[in-house]
Amino acid sequence: MSTTQRLPAFSHSNESWHSIDWALCNQRVKKLQVRIAKATQNGNWRQVKKLQRMLVCSFSAKALAVRRVTENRGKKTPGVDKETWNTPTLKWNAIASLMRKGYKPKPLRRIYIPKANGKKRPLGIPTMRDRAMQALYLLALDPVSETTADRNSYGFRPHRSCADAIEQCFVNLSRKSSAQWVLEGDIKGCVDFISHEWLIANVPMDKVILTKWLKAGFMESGNWNPTEAGTPQGGIISPVLANLALDGLESVLESHFGKKNTKASYKTKVNYVRYADDFIITGISKELLEQRVLPLVIAFMAERGLTLSNEKTFVTHIEEGFDFLGQNVRKYNGKMLIKPSKKNVKTFLKNIRDYLNSHKTVPAAAIIAKLNPMIRGWCNYHRWICASETFKYVDYRIWKMLWRWCRRIHSNRRKRWVKDKYFKTAGERSWVFSAPKQKGEDEHYRLLSAARVKIDKHVKIRALANCYLSDDEQYFEHLKMQRLKKSLSGSMRLWKIVERQDYKCGVCYQQFGSDDEWDMHHLIRRVDGGTDKSSNLMMLHINCHNQLHAGANKGV
């Protein structure tokens, strides 16, 4: 089947999941989302409600909602009904099941996941149908959330990340004339304690559906438990509901201390940065933050049923520094430097040590296969700051752990023998932990070096940019392209392929994002004589790849 062919988005066959035209679905949903965002911007809430109703009733939105919950990381995790949608027929039938009339969500399946401080975080897992319904209504709610969001809120928003929040901290604190004091805030059990009454009264979406989700309860040890407060943790829509509850604090601060770049703001230097439930507020003095700013924040949170954590909320001078999102922000003799926090480095190294201690007899190739993604992910998170010295230190500590691991399993061998077996020279690098790909071959798997990860400058997203407004469409296309370039910079082969495709999937024609999951498709199948050369490869979204092969097998 040619990748340029478009198949009908509507069909009455039970085997039609792979014949859906995803490009057309995305186009229809995007048009409605743009209209919702414009109506929100104009304050026309009646029109917003009407357009939201149109969107959640459309086939295209329902298909995209089912696709989202069957492609994400939790697609194999069932809810209380123990059902998963793992076949095209189940996915197709699921689209028809997303109806408002008669809908009643099932209770969440409660599990607990460990936190860094040793405590456990409760997590509620909805059923597949409830997840899809949340994804459907999120398509209608997200344009509203983006249009009304705080300017410097960066958590759980499209195209925004921790790196943007850290860069904004640098903007607010790096100059000689910048504020010297910082209020570090952390909301106690944010998602667990948000007032249901406040959400139902203030979130611009279907109140009946929202109430059903909030009051669905959870199952634990075979017993049903009611939920009196909080949003359903583990639900797709929960982060957006939390953002809507926390948005508005920046406006409150500006109403008391002046908007940015005004005379009033120069006097107090009150600036706000938030990522999810963690935030900082800068100020010209400790007294200003403790006596004037903090009471405003406490009152704002109380209205939403929230309180600040006494353990994690305090005022710090910038010369002492503070930890924010796993990174340490501090001025050294007047110069701002942002580095990985000691706690974050310690946790990362502990995870590696725990893995090596619990896998004392696995092959070296398995160790490399496990550690490389851990090292790469951690380094990619910190690559935008002053991390080069930390990366070298991490390499040294990992080398020491691996040397102990090797000596422990070969305690009767000489050090020279252990060195020759596991540590090779690769180019300019020596003592590289390696494992042969196959016995007797010269090619080796090699451990990634953190110090070789390139430190780069992160370009912060424009504060007022909105991906649902047509005025910013070109800006976001350029932004996604630049971030995709950086994410693929380690592989020139992948970069050439995606550049040839104009950075878009060859089936649904949607632009790739740096976080998208994708597959490689062979234009001429290997069984038909196709090769693995770049000219015979195409990058596709996973679902689009499945669709292409399903169409080819049917002779479409």
Side-chain angles (χ1 to χ4, degrees), residues 34 47 151 275 310 372 437 481 502:
V34 168
Q47 180 73 356
R151 186 172 62 250
Y275 187 92
N310 293 328
N372 273 354
K437 291 187 176 180
M481 183 185 70
D502 195 25

Side-chain angles (χ1 to χ4, degrees), residues 346-366:
K346 187 177 179 180
T347 302
F348 172 64
L349 293 174
K350 181 181 181 299
N351 290 337
I352 292 179
R353 183 171 62 252
D354 290 345
Y355 174 77
L356 292 175
N357 289 339
S358 60
H359 294 77
K360 297 177 181 178
T361 58
V362 299

Side-chain angles (χ1 to χ4, degrees), residues 56-334:
V56 298
C57 291
S58 71
F59 173 90
S60 297
K62 291 178 181 180
L64 289 174
V66 173
R67 179 179 177 177
R68 174 170 180 176
V69 301
T70 55
E71 283 187 9
N72 61 17
R73 292 180 181 177
K75 61 186 176 183
K76 296 180 181 179
T77 306
V80 292
D81 59 0
K82 300 181 180 179
E83 289 184 6
T84 56
W85 297 338
N86 51 12
T87 68
T89 303
L90 287 173
K91 294 175 186 179
W92 176 258
N93 293 337
I95 296 175
S97 73
L98 302 184
M99 301 290 290
R100 182 183 185 276
K101 187 176 181 180
Y103 170 67
K104 185 178 180 181
K106 286 183 168 58
L108 307 175
R109 180 165 71 90
R110 174 60 61 90
I111 62 171
Y112 292 90
I113 55 176
K115 295 172 67 174
N117 58 8
K119 298 180 182 179
K120 289 188 176 181
R121 183 192 304 277
L123 188 68
I125 302 175
T127 63
M128 291 297 292
R129 188 188 179 205
D130 293 337
R131 273 178 257 176
M133 284 292 283
Q134 289 187 22
L136 174 62
Y137 279 84
L138 178 59
L139 289 171
L141 183 61
D142 211 30
V144 180
S145 174
E146 277 299 293
T147 307
T148 60
D150 283 344
R151 186 172 62 250
N152 289 307
S153 161
Y154 298 97
F156 303 110
R157 293 180 61 192
H159 311 293
R160 286 165 170 81
S161 64
C162 293
D164 291 305
I166 292 295
E167 190 64 26
Q168 185 62 35
C169 291
F170 184 85
V171 170
N172 290 342
L173 294 163
S174 60
R175 300 184 186 90
K176 287 184 179 179
S177 58
S178 297
Q180 299 294 304
W181 293 91
V182 179
L183 169 65
E184 302 172 61
D186 182 86
I187 303 166
K188 191 175 182 180
C190 175
V191 179
D192 295 323
F193 297 112
I194 297 176
S195 167
H196 283 181
E197 290 71 23
W198 190 94
L199 289 172
I200 294 167
N202 293 277
V203 173
M205 67 168 287
D206 190 314
K207 310 295 183 186
V208 175
I209 295 292
L210 178 58
T211 303
K212 287 181 177 180
W213 284 335
L214 296 176
K215 302 298 183 182
F218 62 91
M219 296 294 293
E220 186 174 18
S221 302
N223 297 317
W224 180 82
N225 298 273
T227 46
E228 302 299 334
T231 63
Q233 279 205 51
I236 288 175
I237 204 169
S238 296
V240 175
L241 294 178
N243 270 341
L244 284 166
L246 297 176
D247 283 335
L249 180 55
E250 191 165 22
S251 299
V252 170
L253 294 173
E254 287 178 350
S255 67
H256 285 79
F257 304 105
K259 291 187 176 181
K260 193 174 182 180
N261 298 329
T262 61
K263 286 185 178 179
S265 68
Y266 285 135
K267 291 180 180 179
T268 58
K269 297 177 182 176
V270 172
N271 291 293
Y272 170 77
V273 181
R274 177 171 68 83
Y275 187 92
D277 59 347
D278 293 325
F279 65 88
I280 66 155
I281 301 175
T282 66
I284 199 166
S285 69
K286 186 176 183 179
E287 291 72 23
L288 172 75
L289 292 175
E290 288 181 340
Q291 299 172 15
R292 294 180 60 190
V293 173
L294 188 56
L296 287 174
V297 175
I298 291 172
F300 178 87
M301 297 300 171
E303 185 183 345
R304 290 149 176 78
L306 300 171
T307 57
L308 297 181
S309 170
N310 293 328
E311 302 171 1
K312 301 178 183 178
T313 302
F314 36 82
V315 178
T316 312
H317 194 276
I318 192 61
E319 294 286 346
E320 297 176 15
F322 62 94
D323 290 349
F324 186 55
L325 304 177
Q327 297 172 353
N328 181 260
V329 183
R330 183 178 175 184
K331 272 188 176 179
Y332 298 83
N333 297 321

